Amino acid sequence: MPSPCRDHHLDEREHDVRIGIIGAGNIGANLTRVFTRLGHEVRVANSRGPQTLADLAAETGATAVSAADAPHGADLVVVTVPEKSVPDLAGVLDAAADGTVVVDTGNYYPRERDGRIDAIEAGTPETAWVAQQLDPAGRLRWVKAFNGIQAEHLLSAGRPAGDPQRRALPLAGDDAAAKSVVAELVFATGFDAVDAGPLADSWRQQPGTPVYGAELDADGIARALGEAPRERPAQFTA
């Protein structure tokens, strides 16, 4: 059953994380901004090469690298690319050490962007499909997170713990320790974290569900996850 995670009180200055971010669109760029502000070491990549990220690197202090280099030495890797681009990244996580935590922020938009992906249409949750494409040997620990928040809210909507306006974000994954790492990052960015269960249940936070884009506290997010219908809404099918 989805439940608020209330025990993550990361002192981000004492728990610096080496983070690789693959994808520098709106979410990837703002996660780069947030994580570097928290004092984490960030290596960021996109599909066009590190030279195109010079401004973001100068602004944030992150290191612009190639996609293949982003996972090198990382404690955590964020994959934040359109679903249609995922197959183009085959092999990109080969440099990640066994057991590395990988956060997938992606969403499937078949009509407006991604085209039809048969496995997702057949019921495979989005992040489970991404993991199958990029980690076929199952070496890594996957968590779905940061997929249902507007990019600008990563910078503007965080609130201190205990603030009555503090919002929460859901996360799903099969490894409890990996989810704890991600929950600490969520907490440090100014949001509470709600455990949405295993990757098999991560459909509860896909586009078109009650929790997607919801601006709710931890209890509200947990309720919204529990209200999600299993059938994907028609506007999010091919």
Coordinates of all heavy atoms in Angstrom, one line a residue, residues 79-91 93 102-110 113-138 140 142-144 172-174 198-203 206 230 232:
V79 N 18.3 9.0 -15.6 CA 18.0 9.0 -17.1 C 16.7 9.8 -17.3 O 15.6 9.4 -16.7 CB 17.7 7.5 -17.5 CG1 17.3 7.4 -19.0 CG2 19.0 6.7 -17.3
T80 N 16.8 10.8 -18.0 CA 15.7 11.8 -18.2 C 15.6 12.2 -19.7 O 16.0 13.3 -20.1 CB 15.8 13.0 -17.3 OG1 14.7 13.9 -17.5 CG2 17.1 13.7 -17.4
V81 N 15.1 11.2 -20.5 CA 15.0 11.4 -22.0 C 13.6 10.9 -22.4 O 13.0 10.2 -21.7 CB 16.1 10.6 -22.7 CG1 17.5 11.0 -22.3 CG2 15.9 9.1 -22.5
P82 N 13.2 11.4 -23.6 CA 11.9 10.9 -24.1 C 11.9 9.4 -24.3 O 13.0 8.8 -24.7 CB 11.7 11.6 -25.4 CG 12.6 12.8 -25.3 CD 13.7 12.4 -24.4
E83 N 10.8 8.7 -24.1 CA 10.8 7.3 -24.3 C 11.3 6.9 -25.7 O 11.9 5.9 -25.9 CB 9.4 6.7 -24.0 CG 8.8 7.0 -22.7 CD 9.6 6.6 -21.5 OE1 10.7 7.0 -21.3 OE2 9.1 5.7 -20.8
K84 N 10.9 7.7 -26.7 CA 11.3 7.3 -28.1 C 12.8 7.3 -28.2 O 13.4 6.7 -29.2 CB 10.7 8.3 -29.1 CG 11.2 9.7 -29.0 CD 10.6 10.6 -30.0 CE 11.2 12.0 -30.0 NZ 10.6 12.9 -31.0
S85 N 13.6 8.0 -27.4 CA 15.0 8.1 -27.5 C 15.7 7.0 -26.6 O 17.0 6.9 -26.8 CB 15.5 9.5 -27.0 OG 14.9 10.5 -27.8
V86 N 15.0 6.3 -25.8 CA 15.6 5.3 -25.0 C 16.4 4.3 -25.7 O 17.6 4.0 -25.4 CB 14.6 4.6 -24.0 CG1 15.2 3.4 -23.3 CG2 14.1 5.7 -23.0
P87 N 15.9 3.7 -26.8 CA 16.7 2.7 -27.5 C 18.0 3.2 -28.1 O 19.0 2.4 -28.2 CB 15.8 2.2 -28.7 CG 14.4 2.5 -28.1 CD 14.5 3.7 -27.3
D88 N 18.1 4.5 -28.3 CA 19.3 5.1 -28.8 C 20.4 5.1 -27.8 O 21.6 5.3 -28.1 CB 19.1 6.5 -29.3 CG 18.1 6.6 -30.4 OD1 18.0 5.7 -31.2 OD2 17.5 7.7 -30.6
L89 N 20.0 4.9 -26.5 CA 21.0 4.9 -25.4 C 21.5 3.5 -25.0 O 22.2 3.3 -24.0 CB 20.4 5.5 -24.2 CG 20.0 7.0 -24.2 CD1 19.3 7.4 -23.0 CD2 21.3 7.8 -24.5
A90 N 21.2 2.5 -25.8 CA 21.6 1.1 -25.6 C 23.1 1.1 -25.3 O 23.9 1.7 -26.0 CB 21.3 0.2 -26.7
G91 N 23.5 0.5 -24.2 CA 24.9 0.4 -23.8 C 25.4 1.6 -23.0 O 26.6 1.5 -22.4
L93 N 24.8 2.7 -20.1 CA 24.9 2.4 -18.7 C 26.0 1.3 -18.4 O 26.1 0.9 -17.2 CB 23.6 2.0 -18.0 CG 22.5 3.2 -18.0 CD1 21.3 2.7 -17.4 CD2 23.0 4.4 -17.3
V102 N 19.7 3.9 -10.4 CA 19.3 4.6 -11.6 C 17.9 5.2 -11.4 O 17.0 4.4 -11.2 CB 19.4 3.7 -12.8 CG1 19.0 4.6 -14.1 CG2 20.8 3.1 -13.0
V103 N 17.7 6.5 -11.5 CA 16.4 7.1 -11.4 C 15.9 7.4 -12.9 O 16.6 8.0 -13.6 CB 16.5 8.4 -10.7 CG1 15.2 9.2 -10.7 CG2 16.9 8.2 -9.2
D104 N 14.8 6.9 -13.2 CA 14.1 7.2 -14.5 C 13.0 8.2 -14.2 O 12.1 7.9 -13.4 CB 13.6 5.9 -15.1 CG 12.7 6.2 -16.3 OD1 13.2 6.9 -17.2 OD2 11.6 5.6 -16.4
T105 N 13.1 9.3 -15.0 CA 12.0 10.3 -14.8 C 11.0 10.3 -16.0 O 10.2 11.2 -16.1 CB 12.6 11.7 -14.8 OG1 13.0 12.1 -16.1 CG2 13.8 11.8 -13.8
G106 N 11.2 9.3 -16.9 CA 10.5 9.4 -18.2 C 9.0 9.1 -18.1 O 8.5 8.4 -17.2
N107 N 8.3 9.6 -19.1 CA 6.9 9.3 -19.3 C 6.6 9.0 -20.8 O 7.3 9.5 -21.7 CB 6.0 10.5 -18.9 CG 6.2 10.9 -17.5 OD1 5.9 10.1 -16.6 ND2 6.6 12.1 -17.2
Y108 N 5.6 8.2 -21.0 CA 5.2 7.7 -22.3 C 4.1 8.6 -22.9 O 3.0 8.6 -22.3 CB 4.8 6.2 -22.2 CG 4.3 5.6 -23.5 CD1 4.9 5.6 -24.7 CD2 3.1 4.9 -23.4 CE1 4.5 5.0 -25.8 CE2 2.6 4.2 -24.5 CZ 3.3 4.3 -25.7 OH 2.8 3.6 -26.8
Y109 N 4.4 9.3 -23.9 CA 3.4 10.1 -24.6 C 3.3 9.6 -26.1 O 3.9 10.2 -27.0 CB 3.8 11.6 -24.6 CG 3.9 12.2 -23.2 CD1 5.1 12.6 -22.7 CD2 2.8 12.4 -22.4 CE1 5.3 13.1 -21.5 CE2 2.9 12.9 -21.1 CZ 4.1 13.3 -20.7 OH 4.3 13.8 -19.4
P110 N 2.5 8.6 -26.3 CA 2.5 8.0 -27.7 C 2.0 8.8 -28.8 O 2.4 8.8 -29.9 CB 1.7 6.7 -27.5 CG 0.8 7.0 -26.3 CD 1.6 7.9 -25.4
R113 N 4.4 12.5 -29.0 CA 5.9 12.5 -29.0 C 6.5 11.2 -29.4 O 7.4 11.1 -30.3 CB 6.4 13.0 -27.7 CG 7.9 13.2 -27.7 CD 8.4 13.5 -26.3 NE 8.3 12.3 -25.4 CZ 8.4 12.4 -24.0 NH1 8.7 13.5 -23.5 NH2 8.3 11.3 -23.3
D114 N 6.2 10.1 -28.7 CA 7.0 8.9 -28.7 C 6.6 7.8 -29.7 O 7.4 7.0 -30.0 CB 6.9 8.2 -27.3 CG 7.5 9.1 -26.2 OD1 8.6 9.7 -26.5 OD2 6.9 9.2 -25.1
G115 N 5.4 7.9 -30.3 CA 4.9 6.8 -31.1 C 4.6 5.6 -30.3 O 4.7 5.6 -29.0
R116 N 4.1 4.6 -30.9 CA 3.6 3.4 -30.2 C 4.8 2.6 -29.8 O 5.7 2.3 -30.5 CB 2.7 2.6 -31.1 CG 2.2 1.3 -30.4 CD 1.4 0.4 -31.4 NE 1.0 -0.8 -30.7 CZ -0.1 -0.9 -30.0 NH1 -0.9 0.1 -29.9 NH2 -0.4 -2.1 -29.4
I117 N 4.8 2.2 -28.5 CA 5.7 1.2 -27.9 C 4.9 0.0 -27.5 O 4.2 0.1 -26.5 CB 6.6 1.8 -26.8 CG1 7.4 3.0 -27.3 CG2 7.5 0.7 -26.2 CD1 8.1 3.7 -26.2
D118 N 5.0 -1.1 -28.2 CA 4.1 -2.2 -28.0 C 4.2 -2.8 -26.6 O 3.1 -3.1 -26.0 CB 4.5 -3.4 -29.0 CG 4.1 -3.0 -30.4 OD1 3.2 -2.1 -30.6 OD2 4.6 -3.7 -31.3
A119 N 5.3 -2.9 -26.0 CA 5.4 -3.5 -24.6 C 4.7 -2.6 -23.6 O 4.1 -3.1 -22.7 CB 6.9 -3.6 -24.3
I120 N 4.8 -1.3 -23.7 CA 4.1 -0.4 -22.8 C 2.6 -0.5 -23.0 O 1.8 -0.5 -22.1 CB 4.7 1.0 -22.9 CG1 6.1 1.1 -22.5 CG2 3.8 2.0 -22.0 CD1 6.8 2.5 -22.6
E121 N 2.2 -0.5 -24.3 CA 0.8 -0.7 -24.6 C 0.3 -2.0 -24.0 O -0.9 -2.0 -23.7 CB 0.6 -0.6 -26.1 CG 0.9 0.7 -26.8 CD -0.1 1.8 -26.4 OE1 -1.2 1.4 -26.0 OE2 0.2 3.0 -26.7
A122 N 1.1 -3.0 -24.0 CA 0.7 -4.3 -23.4 C 0.6 -4.3 -21.9 O 0.2 -5.4 -21.4 CB 1.5 -5.4 -24.0
G123 N 1.1 -3.3 -21.3 CA 1.0 -3.2 -19.8 C 2.3 -3.1 -19.1 O 2.3 -3.0 -17.8
T124 N 3.4 -3.2 -19.7 CA 4.7 -3.1 -19.0 C 4.8 -1.6 -18.5 O 4.7 -0.7 -19.3 CB 5.9 -3.4 -20.0 OG1 5.8 -4.7 -20.4 CG2 7.2 -3.2 -19.2
P125 N 5.0 -1.4 -17.2 CA 5.2 0.0 -16.7 C 6.4 0.6 -17.4 O 7.4 0.0 -17.8 CB 5.4 -0.2 -15.2 CG 4.8 -1.5 -14.9 CD 5.0 -2.4 -16.1
E126 N 6.3 1.9 -17.6 CA 7.3 2.7 -18.4 C 8.7 2.4 -17.9 O 9.6 2.2 -18.7 CB 6.9 4.2 -18.3 CG 5.6 4.5 -19.0 CD 5.0 5.8 -18.5 OE1 5.5 6.4 -17.5 OE2 4.0 6.2 -19.1
T127 N 9.0 2.6 -16.6 CA 10.3 2.4 -16.1 C 10.8 1.0 -16.2 O 12.0 0.8 -16.4 CB 10.4 3.0 -14.7 OG1 10.2 4.4 -14.7 CG2 11.8 2.8 -14.1
A128 N 9.9 0.0 -16.0 CA 10.3 -1.3 -16.2 C 10.8 -1.6 -17.7 O 11.7 -2.3 -17.9 CB 9.1 -2.3 -15.9
W129 N 10.1 -0.9 -18.6 CA 10.5 -1.0 -20.0 C 11.8 -0.4 -20.2 O 12.7 -0.9 -20.9 CB 9.4 -0.4 -20.9 CG 9.8 -0.4 -22.4 CD1 9.7 -1.5 -23.2 CD2 10.4 0.7 -23.1 NE1 10.2 -1.1 -24.5 CE2 10.6 0.2 -24.4 CE3 10.7 2.0 -22.8 CZ2 11.1 1.0 -25.4 CZ3 11.2 2.8 -23.8 CH2 11.4 2.3 -25.1
V130 N 12.0 0.8 -19.7 CA 13.3 1.5 -19.8 C 14.4 0.6 -19.2 O 15.5 0.5 -19.9 CB 13.3 2.9 -19.1 CG1 14.7 3.5 -19.1 CG2 12.3 3.8 -19.8
A131 N 14.2 0.0 -18.1 CA 15.2 -0.9 -17.5 C 15.5 -2.0 -18.4 O 16.7 -2.5 -18.5 CB 14.8 -1.3 -16.1
Q132 N 14.5 -2.6 -19.0 CA 14.8 -3.7 -20.0 C 15.7 -3.3 -21.1 O 16.5 -4.1 -21.6 CB 13.4 -4.2 -20.5 CG 12.6 -5.0 -19.4 CD 11.2 -5.2 -19.9 OE1 10.8 -4.9 -21.1 NE2 10.3 -5.7 -19.0
Q133 N 15.5 -2.1 -21.6 CA 16.3 -1.6 -22.7 C 17.7 -1.3 -22.4 O 18.6 -1.6 -23.1 CB 15.6 -0.3 -23.3 CG 14.2 -0.4 -23.7 CD 13.8 -1.6 -24.5 OE1 14.3 -1.8 -25.6 NE2 12.9 -2.4 -23.9
L134 N 17.9 -0.7 -21.2 CA 19.2 -0.1 -20.9 C 20.0 -1.0 -19.9 O 21.2 -0.8 -19.7 CB 19.1 1.3 -20.3 CG 18.4 2.3 -21.2 CD1 18.4 3.7 -20.6 CD2 19.0 2.3 -22.6
D135 N 19.3 -1.9 -19.2 CA 20.0 -2.8 -18.2 C 19.5 -4.2 -18.4 O 18.9 -4.8 -17.5 CB 19.6 -2.2 -16.8 CG 20.2 -3.0 -15.7 OD1 21.3 -3.6 -15.9 OD2 19.6 -3.0 -14.6
P136 N 19.7 -4.8 -19.5 CA 19.1 -6.1 -19.8 C 19.6 -7.2 -18.8 O 18.9 -8.2 -18.6 CB 19.5 -6.4 -21.2 CG 20.6 -5.6 -21.5 CD 20.4 -4.3 -20.7
A137 N 20.8 -7.0 -18.3 CA 21.3 -8.0 -17.3 C 20.8 -7.8 -15.9 O 21.0 -8.7 -15.0 CB 22.8 -8.0 -17.3
G138 N 20.1 -6.7 -15.7 CA 19.5 -6.5 -14.4 C 20.6 -6.2 -13.3 O 20.4 -6.5 -12.1
L140 N 21.5 -3.2 -12.2 CA 21.4 -1.9 -11.6 C 20.1 -1.8 -10.8 O 19.2 -2.7 -11.0 CB 21.4 -0.8 -12.7 CG 22.6 -0.9 -13.6 CD1 22.5 0.2 -14.7 CD2 23.9 -0.7 -12.9
W142 N 16.8 0.2 -10.1 CA 16.0 1.2 -10.7 C 14.9 1.8 -9.8 O 14.2 1.1 -9.1 CB 15.3 0.7 -12.0 CG 16.3 0.4 -13.1 CD1 17.2 -0.6 -13.2 CD2 16.6 1.3 -14.2 NE1 18.0 -0.5 -14.3 CE2 17.6 0.6 -15.0 CE3 16.0 2.5 -14.7 CZ2 18.1 1.2 -16.2 CZ3 16.5 3.0 -15.8 CH2 17.5 2.4 -16.6
V143 N 14.7 3.1 -9.9 CA 13.7 3.8 -9.2 C 13.0 4.8 -10.1 O 13.7 5.6 -10.9 CB 14.3 4.6 -8.0 CG1 13.1 5.4 -7.2 CG2 15.0 3.6 -7.0
K144 N 11.7 4.8 -10.2 CA 10.9 5.8 -10.9 C 10.6 7.0 -10.0 O 10.0 6.8 -8.9 CB 9.6 5.2 -11.5 CG 8.9 6.2 -12.4 CD 7.6 5.6 -12.9 CE 6.9 6.5 -13.9 NZ 7.5 6.4 -15.2
A172 N 8.9 4.8 -7.0 CA 8.7 3.3 -7.0 C 10.0 2.6 -7.4 O 10.8 3.1 -8.2 CB 7.6 3.0 -8.0
G173 N 10.1 1.4 -6.8 CA 11.3 0.6 -7.1 C 11.3 -0.7 -6.4 O 10.5 -0.9 -5.4
D174 N 12.2 -1.6 -6.8 CA 12.2 -2.9 -6.2 C 13.2 -3.1 -5.1 O 13.1 -4.1 -4.3 CB 12.5 -4.0 -7.3 CG 11.4 -4.1 -8.3 OD1 10.3 -3.7 -8.0 OD2 11.7 -4.5 -9.5
P198 N 6.7 -1.4 -5.7 CA 7.7 -1.9 -6.6 C 7.5 -1.4 -8.0 O 6.5 -0.7 -8.3 CB 7.4 -3.4 -6.6 CG 6.0 -3.6 -6.3 CD 5.7 -2.4 -5.3
L199 N 8.5 -1.6 -8.9 CA 8.3 -1.1 -10.3 C 7.1 -1.7 -10.9 O 6.5 -1.0 -11.8 CB 9.6 -1.5 -11.1 CG 10.8 -0.7 -10.9 CD1 11.9 -1.2 -11.9 CD2 10.6 0.8 -11.1
A200 N 6.7 -2.8 -10.6 CA 5.4 -3.4 -11.2 C 4.2 -2.5 -10.9 O 3.2 -2.6 -11.6 CB 5.2 -4.8 -10.6
D201 N 4.3 -1.7 -9.8 CA 3.2 -0.9 -9.5 C 3.4 0.6 -9.9 O 2.6 1.5 -9.6 CB 2.9 -0.9 -8.0 CG 2.3 -2.2 -7.5 OD1 1.8 -2.9 -8.4 OD2 2.3 -2.4 -6.3
S202 N 4.5 0.8 -10.6 CA 4.8 2.2 -11.0 C 3.9 2.8 -12.0 O 3.9 4.0 -12.2 CB 6.3 2.3 -11.5 OG 6.5 1.6 -12.6
W203 N 3.0 2.0 -12.6 CA 2.0 2.6 -13.4 C 1.1 3.5 -12.7 O 0.4 4.4 -13.3 CB 1.1 1.4 -14.0 CG 0.5 0.5 -13.0 CD1 1.0 -0.7 -12.5 CD2 -0.7 0.7 -12.3 NE1 0.2 -1.2 -11.6 CE2 -0.9 -0.4 -11.5 CE3 -1.7 1.6 -12.4 CZ2 -2.0 -0.6 -10.7 CZ3 -2.9 1.5 -11.6 CH2 -3.0 0.4 -10.7
Q206 N 2.1 7.0 -13.6 CA 2.2 7.4 -15.0 C 1.3 8.5 -15.4 O 0.3 8.8 -14.7 CB 2.0 6.1 -15.9 CG 3.0 5.1 -15.7 CD 2.7 3.8 -16.4 OE1 3.6 2.9 -16.5 NE2 1.5 3.6 -16.9
R230 N -6.2 0.8 -13.2 CA -5.2 0.1 -13.9 C -5.1 0.3 -15.4 O -4.1 0.3 -16.0 CB -5.4 -1.5 -13.6 CG -4.2 -2.3 -14.2 CD -2.9 -2.0 -13.5 NE -1.8 -2.7 -14.0 CZ -1.0 -2.3 -15.0 NH1 -1.3 -1.2 -15.6 NH2 0.0 -3.0 -15.4
R232 N -4.8 2.3 -18.7 CA -4.2 3.5 -19.1 C -5.3 4.4 -19.8 O -6.1 3.9 -20.7 CB -3.1 3.3 -20.1 CG -2.3 4.5 -20.5 CD -1.2 4.1 -21.5 NE -0.2 3.4 -20.9 CZ 0.9 4.0 -20.2 NH1 1.0 5.3 -20.2 NH2 1.8 3.2 -19.7

